[in-house]
Amino acid sequence: MGRLNFLYRMDLPHRALSVYIYLSDRANKNGECWPAIPTIAKELKLSQSTVRRALRDLRKAGLLETQQRYRTKGGKSSLLYKLHGE
């Protein structure tokens, strides 16, 4: 069995599967990564709103936690994504 079989058995839209696999591919050994939404959208050839919907789907399914990151001067940076598996 593959390491993502649990994902394929879930009732998720294809956008959520694509984004989860993308994040999984870029995650460190702790399951964390921080690509910007425009970057995810560009690389997956999806709109930014579709990526946001996919992230919402993944959070609702319990497969993803997000945390806002901030720059040293207080401005917003990209989100920190923490993946959860089976």
Side-chain angles (χ1 to χ4, degrees):
M1 280 196 143
R3 66 181 181 90
L4 295 177
N5 277 349
F6 73 93
L7 187 66
Y8 307 136
R9 290 190 307 263
M10 297 182 79
D11 187 27
L12 291 170
H14 67 278
R15 65 181 179 237
L17 293 173
S18 296
V19 170
Y20 187 92
I21 292 167
Y22 176 89
L23 295 174
S24 178
D25 187 50
R26 279 144 183 84
N28 63 19
K29 63 182 178 182
N30 297 321
E32 299 172 338
C33 59
W34 43 91
I37 289 175
T39 302
I40 298 169
K42 181 180 177 186
E43 292 188 357
L44 290 178
K45 296 171 181 53
L46 299 171
S47 70
Q48 291 182 35
S49 59
T50 298
V51 171
R52 285 186 184 90
R53 284 192 297 274
L55 294 172
R56 191 170 43 244
D57 295 337
L58 293 169
R59 282 192 298 265
K60 186 177 178 182
L63 295 173
L64 179 71
E65 284 179 53
T66 57
Q67 180 182 18
Q68 183 64 59
R69 298 181 331 133
Y70 295 93
R71 293 184 168 84
T72 55
K73 294 192 178 200
K76 286 185 177 181
S77 182
S78 60
L79 294 172
L80 171 67
Y81 303 101
K82 175 73 174 170
L83 296 173
H84 301 288
E86 196 167 22

